[in-house]
Amino acid sequence: MTAPAYDSNNIFAKILRGEIPCKKVYEDDHVLAFHDISPQAPSHILVLPKGEYVSMDDFTQKAAPGEIAALFRALGQIARDEGLHETGYRVISNCGLNGGQEVPHLHLHLLGGRKLGRMVQQAA
Ligand code: 5GP
């Protein structure tokens, strides 16, 4: 799979540039995290690299080791800050068509606050 070119008009690029507001929960040099606008669980946080990466496929090919480490360090820190480590949580990154990715800027969904059920819905 070849990642498509980065679209700098995607909604998360606008949030990263401060053109659209978000409910921020965390920020450092490499990472921004904010509440999902349509939460699927009591806690639903999106964790993004600030760099222009379309998807997990793009990120794992092009990102510097420091960016990769920062994303996962931030994810764990946010989960602890939110108290999710006590009861457990789920991390999802949808990639491309079959993954159901809607916004073409890599993001990790951090979900918790209730039992989340089956990991993958059965095909209809
Ligand atoms: P995807 O399907 O790409 O993995 O997930 C995109 C997520 O972005 C969805 O859960 C959706 O609710 C969220 N989202 C879409 N637009 C906005 C927005 O403008 N602000 C915030 N905070 N979340 C958004």
Side-chain angles (χ1 to χ4, degrees), residues 30 53 59 61-70:
H30 293 298
Y53 301 105
F59 186 67
Q61 290 183 69
K62 298 182 191 158
E67 293 176 287
I68 297 172

Side-chain angles (χ1 to χ4, degrees), residues 1 6-7 11 16 19 22-23 29 31 38 41 45 58 61 67 70 72-73 78 88 91 103 105 112-113 124:
M1 184 168 91
Y6 186 80
D7 171 11
I11 196 92
L16 283 162
E19 295 167 11
C22 69
K23 287 169 69 179
D29 287 350
V31 179
S38 178
I45 294 167
D58 194 24
Q61 290 183 69
E67 293 176 287
F72 286 95
R73 290 277 190 210
I78 295 161
V91 180
V103 180
H105 181 113

Side-chain angles (χ1 to χ4, degrees), residues 8-72:
S8 58
N9 282 321
N10 78 75
I11 196 92
F12 292 167
K14 292 179 181 176
I15 289 174
L16 283 162
R17 290 196 295 267
E19 295 167 11
I20 291 177
C22 69
K23 287 169 69 179
K24 183 166 78 175
V25 298
Y26 177 93
E27 182 168 17
D28 66 27
D29 287 350
H30 293 298
V31 179
L32 179 69
F34 49 84
H35 290 282
D36 196 291
I37 203 167
S38 178
Q40 304 298 306
S43 185
H44 185 172
I45 294 167
L46 301 172
V47 186
L48 286 61
K50 288 185 173 177
E52 295 186 344
Y53 301 105
V54 174
S55 65
M56 186 63 81
D57 183 55
D58 194 24
F59 186 67
T60 53
Q61 290 183 69
K62 298 182 191 158
E67 293 176 287
I68 297 172
L71 185 67
F72 286 95

